[in-house]
Amino acid sequence: MADAPRYAALHGLAPVGTRPPLRTYVRDLWGKRAFIRVLATSKAYAENQTTYLGQLWTILNPLLNAIVYIAIFGFLMGARAGTENVIAFIVVGTFIFRFFDASVSAGSRSITGNASLVRSLRFPRAVLPVAGVLAQLATLLPALVVMCVVVLVSQLVPGMGAVPLGWRWLLLAPAVGLLWVFSTGCAFIAGRLVAVAPDVANVIPFVMRFVMYGSGVIFSIDSYVSSESSPALYAILTYQPVAVYLDLARSAILNEPSITTDPVTWIVGAGWALVALVGGFTYFWRGEERYGRD
């Protein structure tokens, strides 16, 4: 029995339920990329499989949310202050934020929602939150097409500002890419928190609601906080990650004078994405041996 560790190492065997070194963990995760792709595709397909309209709900859900917010906040409550085209402003905000919200939610369920898989198979558990966010990205892509069409059509509504179609629309792709990376990092954090303390799952929706209203999804941040009256609060709200990604997406396709992005905004967005991914992945990896046991 004393030679067991040597024989195990010789044949590439490793103890079950232990945390491998970070480099080995990353290599194993990369080796499971085909599995991640298949798992993400199946999750995206199965999400609305039991409904009559099926995959149409991936487009209808954010569209209906946008319609409700436009009707209530855009017209009844007068959120039009500070925006040239309130329809386009809210539509972009709700579509983009919904992806982030759904990604964090998918990450929070990644371990607890796959308990049987975690307990029966040996694989890097990071596969699960990565696949969960990738599934949300797969459902976002067709929704983005609908979002862009609605934004273009919105300028035909009386009182709505023009939305010119130009080369800047191409910047929507890197803006969504940065949000995807940031969302994956947040999914890692949510996945471990809920795996260790399941009660956190009940708190996440309230946190996401707070983030929604504090990020300018419906109301422009300029409409309730100014840089003159509260410079510190204005800077915090403007450069917090979700607000940054919303600004990057909106500046790509909208013609809003209040949204002016420069290289600094892109650098901040890239920084948030890198910090979230590296920090979230490391935090998730450190809890590897606990998943499926708590």
Side-chain angles (χ1 to χ4, degrees):
M1 293 300 292
D3 292 332
R6 182 169 61 85
Y7 283 117
L10 180 64
H11 294 283
L13 301 178
V16 177
T18 60
R19 184 182 70 210
L22 183 58
R23 182 175 297 181
T24 303
Y25 192 74
V26 173
R27 185 173 62 247
D28 291 345
L29 180 62
W30 175 252
K32 297 293 188 295
R33 59 190 182 277
F35 175 54
I36 293 173
R37 184 173 61 252
V38 172
L39 185 61
T41 303
S42 62
K43 284 179 176 291
Y45 179 77
E47 189 170 349
N48 297 296
Q49 190 176 9
T50 58
T51 62
Y52 288 112
L53 296 181
Q55 299 308 307
L56 279 176
W57 282 111
T58 62
I59 296 172
L60 291 176
N61 274 325
L63 184 60
L64 291 174
N65 276 333
I67 291 174
V68 170
Y69 290 136
I70 290 169
I72 296 176
F73 297 101
F75 293 99
L76 295 181
M77 297 183 63
R80 306 178 63 170
T83 58
E84 295 289 322
N85 188 323
V86 68
I87 294 177
F89 186 90
I90 294 179
V91 164
V92 174
T94 52
F95 272 68
I96 297 299
F97 182 79
R98 187 178 185 277
F99 166 69
F100 173 68
D101 187 8
S103 296
V104 174
S105 179
S108 69
R109 301 189 305 268
S110 59
I111 300 299
T112 57
N114 296 279
S116 59
L117 186 64
V118 170
R119 293 191 179 104
S120 59
L121 296 177
R122 183 178 179 274
F123 62 95
R125 307 314 189 203
V127 162
L128 299 173
V130 170
V133 178
L134 194 60
Q136 297 303 321
L137 181 66
T139 61
L140 173 68
L141 296 181
L144 287 178
V145 176
V146 176
M147 181 190 79
C148 291
V149 171
V150 174
V151 167
L152 285 172
V153 173
S154 67
Q155 61 187 322
L156 302 178
V157 177
M160 297 297 108
V163 183
L165 181 62
W167 67 268
R168 291 185 61 85
W169 282 57
L170 298 176
L171 295 176
L172 180 62
V176 171
L178 289 176
L179 177 59
W180 171 36
V181 175
F182 177 77
S183 299
T184 302
C186 293
F188 283 133
I189 296 172
R192 179 176 173 180
L193 287 175
V194 174
V196 174
D199 289 341
V200 175
N202 295 317
V203 179
I204 289 178
F206 296 99
V207 174
M208 298 305 294
R209 195 174 304 169
F210 177 80
V211 173
M212 175 182 172
Y213 288 107
S215 301
V217 174
I218 299 172
F219 296 91
S220 171
I221 292 177
D222 293 332
S223 64
Y224 54 88
V225 177
S226 67
S227 57
E228 291 79 15
S229 61
S230 303
L233 180 59
Y234 180 81
I236 292 173
L237 292 178
T238 301
Y239 288 104
Q240 56 100 342
V242 177
V244 168
Y245 298 126
L246 287 175
D247 278 352
L248 292 178
R250 283 171 171 150
S251 66
I253 62 178
L254 303 185
N255 185 29
E256 293 288 345
S258 62
I259 304 174
T260 56
T261 58
D262 51 26
V264 174
T265 308
W266 285 97
I267 293 173
V268 171
W272 276 120
L274 182 62
V275 168
L277 182 63
V278 174
F281 182 78
T282 304
Y283 177 71
F284 186 88
W285 162 72
R286 288 185 178 277
E288 180 75 8
E289 69 269 17
R290 299 184 59 180
Y291 304 138
R293 294 188 172 189
D294 292 335

